[in-house]
Amino acid sequence: MSYIRPRAEGDRDAWTEEAARRGHTGTNQLREVAEVLPPSTVAEFFGLRPGDVAVVRRRLVLLDGLPSELADSYYPVGLARGTRLAEPRKIPGGAITLLAQLGHHPGDVEERVRARPATSDERRELGIGENQWVLILTRLLRSTEGLPIEAAVMTMIADDRELRYKMVIE
């Protein structure tokens, strides 16, 4: 849940903090920030029409200096344009913290996970061999008002990957 909660001022991003807790160094490299035609899942989540764009922040996530995953986070243009979400630089505390500062507090999240063989581009960017698989985690985040505020698509090296979930039953 730390990935969908705003951070306190001065806190590191959730990935850096989690990796450090486990004795590792977690960082990410910002690969691209642009307005793009999003994947169909993202377009549907945001209620976009054909040809509508979203802001994407593409990152290469590193663990101890080695590629771990490709993370693409999408934001509605009306929410992101003119903010740090649309600027090609890191955001202190991460995007969720900035969203909260802009008045868009996380309300609910839906995650989907699937596995498939890695594409040639993914193998190259993640430094993995042929015949290796990746996990695709799609995270859809709505505000406390029910508005879609972020859609993230993470492509993770599947080897030795464990996904753990803890949920409160109300």
Side-chain angles (χ1 to χ4, degrees), residues 47-90:
L48 301 179
R49 296 182 309 256
D52 286 351
V53 297
V55 171
V56 67
R57 296 180 62 82
R58 298 186 199 280
R59 299 169 315 285
L60 174 63
V61 179
L62 304 166
L63 180 62
D64 296 331
L66 298 174
S68 174
E69 70 185 60
L70 302 168
D72 296 349
S73 298
Y74 297 87
Y75 306 93
V77 169
L79 185 149
R81 193 180 278 158
T83 73
R84 290 185 77 153
L85 291 169
E87 296 175 4
R89 59 183 173 141
K90 289 189 176 185

Side-chain angles (χ1 to χ4, degrees), residues 18-121:
E18 179 184 332
R21 269 196 318 273
R22 297 173 185 224
H24 297 281
T25 302
T27 60
N28 65 71
Q29 296 173 350
L30 192 58
R31 298 167 41 229
E32 177 185 27
V33 177
E35 291 186 13
V36 299
L37 292 172
S40 59
T41 301
V42 173
E44 182 180 312
F45 177 63
F46 288 154
L48 301 179
R49 296 182 309 256
D52 286 351
V53 297
V55 171
V56 67
R57 296 180 62 82
R58 298 186 199 280
R59 299 169 315 285
L60 174 63
V61 179
L62 304 166
L63 180 62
D64 296 331
L66 298 174
S68 174
E69 70 185 60
L70 302 168
D72 296 349
S73 298
Y74 297 87
Y75 306 93
V77 169
L79 185 149
R81 193 180 278 158
T83 73
R84 290 185 77 153
L85 291 169
E87 296 175 4
R89 59 183 173 141
K90 289 189 176 185
I91 299 171
I96 301 301
T97 300
L98 177 60
L99 286 167
Q101 291 168 351
L102 295 171
H104 307 286
H105 298 275
D108 69 79
V109 64
E110 175 186 338
E111 292 188 347
R112 302 173 191 166
V113 181
R114 64 186 175 97
R116 63 164 170 73
T119 66
S120 58
D121 285 344

Side-chain angles (χ1 to χ4, degrees), residues 1-6 45-46 73-76 79 95-97 99-100 104-111 138-152:
M1 295 304 265
S2 65
Y3 289 93
I4 57 168
R5 289 205 169 116
F45 177 63
F46 288 154
S73 298
Y74 297 87
Y75 306 93
L79 185 149
I96 301 301
T97 300
L99 286 167
H104 307 286
H105 298 275
D108 69 79
V109 64
E110 175 186 338
E111 292 188 347
T138 303
R139 178 180 297 141
L140 307 173
L141 180 63
R142 289 178 189 81
S143 70
T144 51
E145 291 79 29
L147 300 172
I149 56 175
E150 181 186 61

